[in-house]
Amino acid sequence: MLQNPPIDFEMIEDMVEGDEDFKSELVSAILHSLLELKEKYQEGATLQNAEIIQQIRHKTKPTLTMFGMERLTEVVNAGKVLIEEKGFEHPEFPKHLEDFLESIHLAIEFMKAYISLQEK
């Protein structure tokens, strides 16, 4: 794995304690959570609906925190503040959305690569 991955894979290994079936279920659930976060965040941004973003942020926050997705957590938290204080129309929002999409893409790709390595 690369240095400073966007996900704490050691936490996954520690949590599953060698149970390969549990690991498979867990990494699948994490990937599903990330894909859902991306989809709903984009939907909320497109519709300029803060509630959609708030709901998915609330739903995925434990996963992001538990598995050390610090950069993605920072971006999501910055978006929360930006949306609440300045709204979607603020000139900073497109840059925030770009940062979010870059961070979520990286996390998703790392999860997919991790799953591929586990399948070998």
Side-chain angles (χ1 to χ4, degrees):
M1 285 280 150
L2 296 175
Q3 289 197 278
N4 299 322
I7 298 168
D8 185 350
F9 294 108
E10 287 182 23
M11 177 59 78
I12 293 170
E13 296 296 331
D14 290 346
M15 186 176 285
V16 300
E17 298 179 337
D19 184 335
E20 294 302 315
D21 289 336
F22 179 45
K23 183 193 300 186
S24 178
E25 290 176 24
L26 181 60
V27 297
S28 178
I30 295 168
L31 179 59
H32 175 78
S33 181
L34 290 171
L35 292 169
E36 184 179 20
L37 173 60
K38 180 181 178 184
E39 176 189 335
K40 291 296 184 180
Y41 209 96
Q42 285 182 293
E43 178 184 341
T46 299
L47 298 174
Q48 295 189 349
N49 185 322
E51 187 174 333
I52 292 171
I53 293 175
Q54 186 276 330
Q55 287 174 349
I56 194 60
R57 188 178 56 241
H58 180 76
K59 181 178 179 180
T60 58
K61 184 177 180 178
T63 300
L64 300 180
T65 303
M66 185 179 303
F67 296 104
M69 296 183 230
E70 295 170 9
R71 173 69 182 134
L72 185 54
T73 300
E74 289 171 8
V75 171
V76 170
N77 288 339
K80 175 185 189 284
V81 172
L82 179 62
I83 293 166
E84 288 176 355
E85 293 180 2
K86 300 176 181 175
F88 292 99
E89 298 296 328
H90 194 275
E92 292 175 25
F93 187 76
K95 173 66 173 130
H96 160 72
L97 186 58
E98 182 181 313
D99 289 346
F100 169 77
L101 291 172
E102 181 180 303
S103 297
I104 192 81
H105 175 75
L106 190 60
I108 288 168
E109 291 307 307
F110 265 79
M111 279 308 299
K112 287 179 178 179
Y114 182 75
I115 290 168
S116 291
L117 286 173
Q118 301 306 306
E119 292 173 347
K120 290 183 180 183

